[in-house]
Amino acid sequence: MRTTLKNRPGILAEIALACGQAEVNIASMQVFPGDPTVTDEFVVTASPGMTDLQLAEVFEKAGGTRVAVTRTGPDALDDEATRYLRGMHEVLEGGRDVESVLRDLLGTTPPDVLDYNGHDVLDLQRRNGTSLRISRAVPFTPAERSRAQALLSLVSDAGMDVPLLQPAQRTPLPLTRRATLADIEGVAALHQRCSAETLYHRYQAPLRMPMTTRLARRLVVPDSGMAVVVQSGLDIVGHGLVEQVEDRWTFHLIVEDAWQGRGIGTMLVKQGAGRARALGAQRLTFVTATANDTLLRTVGRAGFVARVERHDGNVHITVPLTGVTPLQD
């Protein structure tokens, strides 16, 4: 995790004390100097029940700002020189795409932050004059910019920075479209295949199954708003609902467990934003259970700048729709 701290004596002691009280263990840390603030990166371990948002709060209460949490693997404890040398080896000897390596080294997955301020952009120059752009929610430090540019320059000299061609997919791509009354049974079947955890994240309450036809109809043709579905073959594998609640537009989505992690949620977020914009919305709010950190990552992957707030035990993620192209049938 990474946070910005005031450059003053005692601040690290306050961070360490807060972590100790929260039973968060600091395994390693790295300092990116600055004035009047510094950026510190911590590798920590916490109890399995602690969410990324709760971990961020520990550091915020101890004086940290711009707190960002990113889940890492065991190699996070390696020093940076070792990690970059390993990345160089993966490109030159393993034939891996340099952009993919840099994204791993820089941790470009959108983090779970209490105040998500969008993406910082890193433009790297190849020897042949072309550029490689990498974006991340957490601002890049000068040291990270220098390291990334040095790695790209080295592999460019070796002629190894040409992206590898990916084989074409053999399975049909999922189709995102507006829901119709013909989707009532498909939406009900989608919910039937979802786990209790997925249903809870969507509805913030236990949902009785099987779903009634009345509820499925409301999800397909809402009273105020519209619905979208993601279809693969004959199955509905994702569903999103745009609704106007008083003066606020909301979007709720659900993705079948077997299809999670394949970009379906990102597709629904983009569709929901475009559909809401067509209905006249200026902002769109996603509502989810407090323990669901995945939705914030999905909104970030869709390219939106978000404001995260807590209301009545749930998390509200609000994005402005300025510049979003309205989607209409």
Side-chain angles (χ1 to χ4, degrees):
M1 66 177 305
R2 185 171 293 193
T3 182
T4 299
L5 302 171
K6 292 183 179 179
N7 193 3
R8 63 172 176 81
I11 186 65
L12 288 179
E14 296 171 18
I15 293 290
L17 178 61
C19 287
Q21 292 173 340
E23 297 185 352
V24 174
N25 180 54
I26 300 176
S28 71
M29 68 166 293
Q30 181 179 188
V31 178
F32 298 94
D35 188 29
T37 61
V38 296
T39 299
D40 285 7
E41 184 175 87
F42 298 86
V43 178
V44 303
T45 56
S47 61
M50 178 174 283
T51 67
D52 293 359
L53 291 172
Q54 291 171 334
L55 184 59
E57 285 184 330
V58 172
F59 280 75
E60 281 207 334
K61 291 178 180 178
T65 60
R66 305 179 74 175
V67 181
V69 179
T70 304
R71 296 185 181 273
T72 62
D75 61 345
L77 294 174
D78 295 340
D79 65 272
E80 288 301 298
T82 300
R83 295 181 66 238
Y84 273 77
L85 286 172
R86 185 183 298 124
M88 177 73 69
H89 182 271
E90 291 176 359
V91 175
L92 297 179
E93 300 296 331
R96 189 179 172 192
D97 178 21
V98 66
E99 180 176 354
S100 174
V101 169
L102 283 171
R103 290 188 181 280
D104 285 348
L105 290 171
L106 295 169
T108 59
T109 301
D112 299 317
V113 291
L114 297 181
D115 191 1
Y116 181 64
N117 292 318
H119 289 75
D120 189 17
V121 175
L122 174 60
D123 286 317
L124 304 173
Q125 301 301 315
R126 296 185 176 95
R127 297 294 192 189
N128 62 5
T130 61
S131 62
L132 170 62
R133 170 166 289 190
I134 296 177
S135 63
R136 188 179 71 182
V138 182
F140 295 103
T141 65
E144 287 178 317
R145 293 176 181 271
S146 298
R147 291 170 185 161
Q149 182 60 68
L151 188 148
L152 181 61
S153 297
L154 286 171
V155 298
S156 296
D157 288 341
M160 296 295 296
D161 63 332
V162 179
L164 298 177
L165 294 177
Q166 299 294 329
Q169 296 186 1
R170 296 182 179 275
T171 56
L173 292 176
L175 169 68
T176 307
R177 58 173 175 79
R178 182 167 185 165
T180 69
L181 289 174
D183 295 314
I184 290 178
E185 291 186 3
V187 169
L190 160 66
H191 285 73
Q192 189 71 32
R193 295 192 300 270
C194 288
S195 66
E197 181 181 10
T198 294
L199 293 173
Y200 182 80
H201 285 325
R202 163 60 177 88
Y203 294 96
Q204 294 86 56
L207 184 65
R208 180 178 297 177
M209 299 300 292
M211 174 175 287
T212 63
T213 302
R214 179 180 179 182
L215 177 56
R217 180 186 178 91
R218 180 184 175 279
L219 292 174
V220 170
V221 187
D223 295 332
S224 177
M226 55 84 60
V228 293
V229 293
V230 180
Q231 181 176 347
S232 177
L234 299 178
D235 293 330
I236 301 298
V237 299
H239 172 267
L241 182 64
V242 178
E243 282 189 301
Q244 186 175 20
V245 181
E246 297 179 350
D247 60 344
R248 184 179 66 177
W249 287 91
T250 64
F251 186 65
H252 297 267
L253 63 91
I254 187 170
V255 177
E256 183 179 338
D257 293 58
W259 283 84
Q260 292 175 12
R262 303 190 191 184
I264 302 299
T266 304
M267 293 170 60
L268 283 170
V269 168
K270 292 180 178 180
Q271 275 281 324
R275 300 286 183 173
R277 192 73 181 92
L279 293 172
Q282 300 298 317
R283 297 178 181 82
L284 189 61
T285 298
F286 304 82
V287 182
T288 186
T290 303
N292 182 15
D293 300 329
T294 304
L295 181 57
L296 181 57
R297 298 177 186 272
T298 302
V299 172
R301 279 192 291 269
F304 290 103
V305 177
R307 166 71 64 177
V308 182
E309 300 173 314
R310 288 181 175 81
H311 294 282
D312 301 325
N314 294 322
V315 173
H316 289 204
I317 304 170
T318 301
V319 301
L321 300 182
T322 305
V324 174
T325 302
L327 293 179
Q328 295 178 328
D329 295 322

